[in-house]
Amino acid sequence: MAATSQNKLLRVGVIQNGRIVEEHHVRREAVTIGHDAKNTIVLPAAEGRPARFALLEHQNQQFQLVIAPGMKGRVNLGSSDVDFDALREQGLATRRGDLHVLPLQESARGKVELGDATLFFQFVAPPPEEAKPVLPADVMVSRWKTMDRVFFGILAASLLVHFSGAALIITSETPQVAELELDELDDRFVRAIIPQRPVEAPRPADTGAAEAPRNDTPEAAPKEDAPSESKPAGDAAQQRRAEVVKKVSGKGLLKILGSNSGGGQGAFADVLGGASGGGDIAEALAGAGGVGVAREASVGAAGGPRGGGTGTVTDIGAIGTQGGGKVDLGDKKEAVVKGRVQDAAPEIESADVDRDALARYVRARKAAIQSCYEKELKRNPRLKGKVVVRFTIKTSGRAGDIEIEENTLGSEAVGSCIRTTIRSWVFPFKPDDETAVSYPFVFAPAG
C-alpha cells in the first residue's frame, strides 16, 4: 500500500452522545487509549479495557490500525466499508500474536466502538499557516530615523579609539628589559633575597660528670666560657653534641640505660653500638621498678627472677584465659539468604519490540535483579513485594528514562539497584522510534 503523505495529519476524535468531546491532530505520534493519564485519549476504567493500548501506530512513515480481540468497528478503504470481523476473516489485516494490524492509506477513515464512546479517525490536510501581520507603509519608519544619533556617534568614536589602541599595542615590539646582576643590586635588596644566617649564642657546657637526679628537671651546670673565634667550627659542633648527650643521658629511663657499673658506656650504648652485652641491659633494667628481665634459665618456666620492683617473668605457655568455658574460634560463616524473582508479561507500546523476545532477554539476566533483592533481604528477611519498572528502548537498543512506576517492597535501595542494572543493558531491538516498556517483578523469600 502507498505510504501516507507526510503533509497529511491524522485527525482523531471521540464522539459521545452525538457530539465531539475530544479531538487531536497528530503527524507521527502513536495514539493510545486507556484510563492511564499518560494516554493520548483518556477513557474511564472499564472491565476488559487495558490501562494503556496503542490503537494507531506510526511505523515506516505510515500509520497502521491495531485491532484487539473483541474490538468492534469499521474502516473505509476507499471503495467500501469493511468491519473488523471481515478484516480478520479475509486476511486484509496482518496477524501479530493476538492482535491484527491494518496499514492505512491517506484516503482511509473509520471508527472504533469503545463502549459508551466512539473513536473516529481520518487523514486531513494541515491548516494553512497564518500570515504574519504587516504594518501599513505610512506607519513603518526606518531605523535611522528612530536611532539616537548622539549616542550612536559616541559609541562609534569609543569603538574606534579602543580598537586603534589595541592594534597599536599588538603591532608594537616588546621592550627588552636588561637583567640586573647581584652586584648591581642595592644592599637592602640583597639582604631581602639572601637572608643572613643568625649568629648562634654560645651554649653552657657541663663541667662535672655527676649523674643528674631522676626527676625531669636537669641539673644546673656551670657555664663555660664562649669558644674563641680561632677554634674550628667542627670542634664547636662536636662540643654541642656532647653537651646534648650529657643532658639527655641524665633524664628518666635513658639515665638507667646509660648506667654501667663496669665503667663502659652503658647498656644503651652497647645496643646502639652493635655489641652483644645482654647482661648489661639486664643489670641496667634491674634498677627500674615493675620491670622483669627474662634470662636464658627462666625462659619457659612458670616464674622467673624478679627485678628491683614487682615485675615477674613468666613463659607464654603459662598464660591462659580464666573462666568457666572455652572460647570457640571457628571460621566465620555468612548466612546464605535466597529469594525468588517472578516476572510477569511486560507492556509494550510499539510493535517493533517482540514481547516474548524481550521477556526471554530479561529472564536471562534475572540473576542481577535477584542479587539486588537478596542484598536487602539479608537485612530484612520478611522483605517481599512488587516492583514495576518503566523505561524506554531507544533506537540504539539502550535503555533510557528508567523510573520506578510502582514499589510495594518499601525499599528504595532495591529500586535504585534495579535502575542501575537495567541502565547497562543493550537490547537486541532497534526500533524506529523510542518504545516505552513497563516491566513488573515480583519478589518473595525462598523456602
Side-chain angles (χ1 to χ4, degrees), residues 342-401:
Q342 298 179 357
D343 56 340
E347 295 183 8
I348 306 173
E349 295 184 0
S350 175
D352 288 354
V353 178
D354 189 2
R355 180 180 303 175
D356 297 335
L358 177 61
R360 288 193 300 270
Y361 179 87
V362 175
R363 291 193 190 101
R365 289 152 181 82
K366 189 186 293 184
I369 303 297
Q370 184 174 355
S371 176
C372 295
Y373 170 61
E374 290 178 351
K375 287 180 182 178
E376 298 301 318
L377 189 62
K378 295 178 182 178
R379 304 178 183 177
N380 184 8
R382 298 182 179 180
L383 188 65
K384 64 179 180 178
K386 179 181 179 182
V387 176
V388 180
V389 186
R390 186 175 183 84
F391 57 92
T392 59
I393 300 178
K394 299 182 179 180
T395 56
S396 61
R398 289 191 170 274
D401 300 333

Side-chain angles (χ1 to χ4, degrees), residues 177-295:
V177 180
E179 296 183 358
L180 295 177
E181 300 294 339
L182 290 178
D183 53 358
E184 297 178 2
L185 294 175
D186 193 71
D187 292 342
R188 57 192 180 93
F189 294 113
V190 174
R191 287 194 297 269
I193 297 174
I194 307 176
Q196 299 296 324
R197 183 175 181 179
V199 179
E200 296 182 357
R203 299 183 179 180
D206 294 339
T207 57
E211 294 182 353
R214 292 188 60 180
N215 55 11
D216 293 339
T217 305
E219 293 181 346
K223 297 183 179 180
E224 288 185 356
D225 295 336
S228 60
E229 296 180 357
S230 60
K231 194 172 184 179
D235 295 341
Q238 293 180 1
Q239 183 179 0
R240 287 195 299 271
R241 189 178 299 107
E243 293 172 2
V244 173
V245 171
K246 288 180 180 180
K247 290 183 180 180
V248 175
S249 61
K251 295 182 180 180
L253 184 60
L254 290 180
K255 176 182 177 182
I256 300 173
L257 293 177
S259 63
N260 188 0
S261 60
Q265 295 181 356
F268 183 62
D270 231 359
V271 174
L272 298 182
S276 58
D280 294 337
I281 297 178
E283 293 175 3
L285 293 177
V291 180
V293 181
R295 300 177 184 274

Side-chain angles (χ1 to χ4, degrees), residues 133 210 226 254 287 407 420:
L254 290 180
N407 186 355
T420 305

Side-chain angles (χ1 to χ4, degrees), residues 36 38 52 347 386-391 402-408 419 437-440:
D36 191 349
K38 297 181 179 180
R52 188 179 182 88
E347 295 183 8
K386 179 181 179 182
V387 176
V388 180
V389 186
R390 186 175 183 84
F391 57 92
I402 305 171
E403 61 181 4
I404 302 301
E405 191 173 32
E406 181 182 355
N407 186 355
T408 62
R419 285 199 304 269
V437 177
S438 181
Y439 209 107

Side-chain angles (χ1 to χ4, degrees), residues 6-355:
Q6 292 298 310
N7 296 327
K8 290 283 188 177
L9 298 179
L10 178 63
R11 180 189 180 195
V12 181
V14 178
I15 300 177
Q16 207 169 23
N17 297 327
R19 61 188 184 89
I20 298 177
V21 296
E22 189 174 353
E23 185 175 355
H24 299 274
H25 290 81
V26 295
R27 186 179 296 274
R28 297 182 182 86
E29 299 82 5
V31 179
T32 59
I33 60 174
H35 59 82
D36 191 349
K38 297 181 179 180
N39 292 318
T40 308
I41 298 175
V42 180
L43 300 174
E47 183 179 358
R49 182 182 297 168
R52 188 179 182 88
F53 179 74
L55 181 63
L56 294 165
E57 298 178 348
H58 187 270
Q59 299 292 336
N60 299 325
Q61 305 296 328
Q62 186 178 12
F63 278 97
Q64 53 187 10
L65 176 65
V66 181
I67 305 173
M71 185 178 290
K72 300 295 183 180
R74 302 181 65 84
V75 179
N76 186 298
L77 301 178
S79 58
S80 60
D81 292 346
V82 183
D83 59 4
F84 289 172
D85 294 334
L87 290 174
R88 298 187 187 98
E89 294 174 358
Q90 297 177 10
L92 297 177
T94 304
R95 187 178 182 85
R96 188 176 68 191
D98 296 337
L99 306 176
H100 288 78
V101 180
L102 176 65
L104 300 176
Q105 297 181 356
E106 61 181 4
S107 59
R109 63 182 184 275
K111 67 176 182 178
V112 181
E113 298 177 2
L114 302 173
D116 57 347
T118 302
L119 184 144
F120 72 91
F121 61 89
Q122 66 178 134
F123 293 94
V124 296
E129 296 183 358
E130 297 182 358
K132 297 180 180 180
V134 179
L135 295 175
D138 54 349
V139 178
M140 296 179 61
V141 294
S142 62
R143 294 185 178 180
W144 177 252
K145 294 180 180 180
T146 58
M147 184 181 299
D148 188 350
R149 301 183 182 182
V150 176
F151 171 77
F152 179 77
I154 296 173
L155 177 62
S158 176
L159 292 176
L160 179 61
V161 171
H162 283 82
F163 280 103
S164 301
L168 182 61
I169 294 173
I170 293 173
T171 56
S172 61
E173 296 183 358
T174 304
Q176 300 295 332
V177 180
E179 296 183 358
L180 295 177
E181 300 294 339
L182 290 178
D183 53 358
E184 297 178 2
L185 294 175
D186 193 71
D187 292 342
R188 57 192 180 93
F189 294 113
V190 174
R191 287 194 297 269
I193 297 174
I194 307 176
Q196 299 296 324
R197 183 175 181 179
V199 179
E200 296 182 357
R203 299 183 179 180
D206 294 339
T207 57
E211 294 182 353
R214 292 188 60 180
N215 55 11
D216 293 339
T217 305
E219 293 181 346
K223 297 183 179 180
E224 288 185 356
D225 295 336
S228 60
E229 296 180 357
S230 60
K231 194 172 184 179
D235 295 341
Q238 293 180 1
Q239 183 179 0
R240 287 195 299 271
R241 189 178 299 107
E243 293 172 2
V244 173
V245 171
K246 288 180 180 180
K247 290 183 180 180
V248 175
S249 61
K251 295 182 180 180
L253 184 60
L254 290 180
K255 176 182 177 182
I256 300 173
L257 293 177
S259 63
N260 188 0
S261 60
Q265 295 181 356
F268 183 62
D270 231 359
V271 174
L272 298 182
S276 58
D280 294 337
I281 297 178
E283 293 175 3
L285 293 177
V291 180
V293 181
R295 300 177 184 274
E296 294 181 357
S298 62
V299 175
R306 297 178 178 272
T310 59
T312 302
V313 178
T314 180
D315 63 341
I316 298 176
I319 300 174
T321 58
Q322 296 180 356
K326 296 183 179 180
V327 178
D328 185 10
L329 299 178
D331 296 336
K332 180 180 179 182
K333 296 182 180 180
E334 186 177 0
V336 179
V337 181
K338 293 291 185 181
R340 296 195 309 269
V341 181
Q342 298 179 357
D343 56 340
E347 295 183 8
I348 306 173
E349 295 184 0
S350 175
D352 288 354
V353 178
D354 189 2
R355 180 180 303 175

